[in-house]
Amino acid sequence: MEDSDSPLAVATQAFLRWYSPRFVARTFAMARQDEYEADRIAAKMLGREEAIASLAETEIKNAWLDTRFWELHWAQAVREPQPKGPFQAMQRLLVQPPSPEFARDALRRALKKLSSMDDTHPVLKDRLRALGEKRPGLPEVWSERGSLSLLGPSAARWIDQFDREWCKDNGDTWKRHHAKLQRARARVLELQSNAANASVAELVETAQLIKRLNPTSSMSTELYRKALDRDPVHPQALIGKALHMAE
């Protein structure tokens, strides 16, 4: 209908442009209240402490997905020229407790967020306050199974399907990323061949490339330290070291 110039299509599009923002504005408060009601029902069915722990765990693991998982997943393109689906690994890793340091930092950041007008979901602080919790801590017990386990033996089939669809949708991007990482690896080898005479800029470049190739490597931290020993105010070295310290 979007490509049609018929009078009916034009009239329908004009009506939807007028109606949609008004519908969203009128129903936004109701949609947000639905989230609070769902939390209250969960607390009534499972217990208040369990509901609070579930909200905190979800927020922490969402942060882990955003800041750690996808970076590690795409880094696999260094050795995998063909796209690799993420969901099998995601299912396995999400049931592993995050490190206490990461969990505390993620929870602290989540509790600083403020609810906005572009999302019907309230922020964690508001949802916990509605349940009577003002000073939440880390979950004492982390989830041991994901929701897909409710599907039983068919869960593996669904994960396989999700992985195939993801590979299909991201295949071209993955292959370009693989080529980019191969160029980065070649550049690292070139820089390392002359490491004894490396300039500060080359130390920083090597650190940045190694971080891109292997996000969990500590080698880039050492390279930033060497660069700062020679130039304590080098901006990219300072930024790189600060980012490592924040992880």
Side-chain angles (χ1 to χ4, degrees), residues 62-79:
N62 275 338
W64 179 83
L65 279 175
D66 291 341
T67 62
R68 300 291 174 84
F69 176 80
W70 287 111
E71 182 181 46
L72 293 171
H73 182 73
W74 281 95
Q76 293 180 84
V78 174
R79 59 184 183 277

Side-chain angles (χ1 to χ4, degrees), residues 184 187-188 191 204-214:
R187 177 59 177 160
V188 168
L191 290 166
V204 171
E205 182 184 1
T206 305
Q208 291 171 336
L209 292 172
I210 288 175
K211 174 66 174 175
R212 188 184 308 166
L213 292 167
N214 184 2

Side-chain angles (χ1 to χ4, degrees), residues 15 17 19-20 28 31 35 42 48 53 58 74-75 82 95 102 118 148 152 169 184 193 195 208 210 221:
F15 170 75
R17 286 194 295 271
Y19 176 77
S20 294
F28 183 89
E35 300 298 333
R48 175 177 170 275
T58 299
W74 281 95
Q82 298 299 321
V95 296
F102 179 89
D118 58 358
L148 278 178
D169 293 340
S193 66
Q208 291 171 336
I210 288 175
T221 305

Side-chain angles (χ1 to χ4, degrees), residues 87 148 151-165:
F87 296 106
L148 278 178
L151 299 178
S154 65
R157 176 169 56 84
W158 283 105
I159 291 174
D160 184 61
Q161 179 177 332
F162 295 153
D163 277 337
R164 288 199 306 270
E165 291 180 358

Side-chain angles (χ1 to χ4, degrees), residues 148-212:
L148 278 178
S149 63
L150 297 174
L151 299 178
S154 65
R157 176 169 56 84
W158 283 105
I159 291 174
D160 184 61
Q161 179 177 332
F162 295 153
D163 277 337
R164 288 199 306 270
E165 291 180 358
W166 189 92
C167 290
K168 181 180 178 182
D169 293 340
N170 295 275
D172 291 341
T173 303
W174 184 280
K175 292 173 184 177
R176 289 194 296 270
H177 190 57
H178 171 74
K180 183 178 180 179
L181 292 182
Q182 290 301 302
R183 293 192 295 271
R185 183 159 66 175
R187 177 59 177 160
V188 168
L189 293 174
E190 178 185 354
L191 290 166
Q192 289 178 335
S193 66
N194 191 40
N197 301 312
S199 65
V200 172
E202 288 172 334
L203 288 172
V204 171
E205 182 184 1
T206 305
Q208 291 171 336
L209 292 172
I210 288 175
K211 174 66 174 175
R212 188 184 308 166

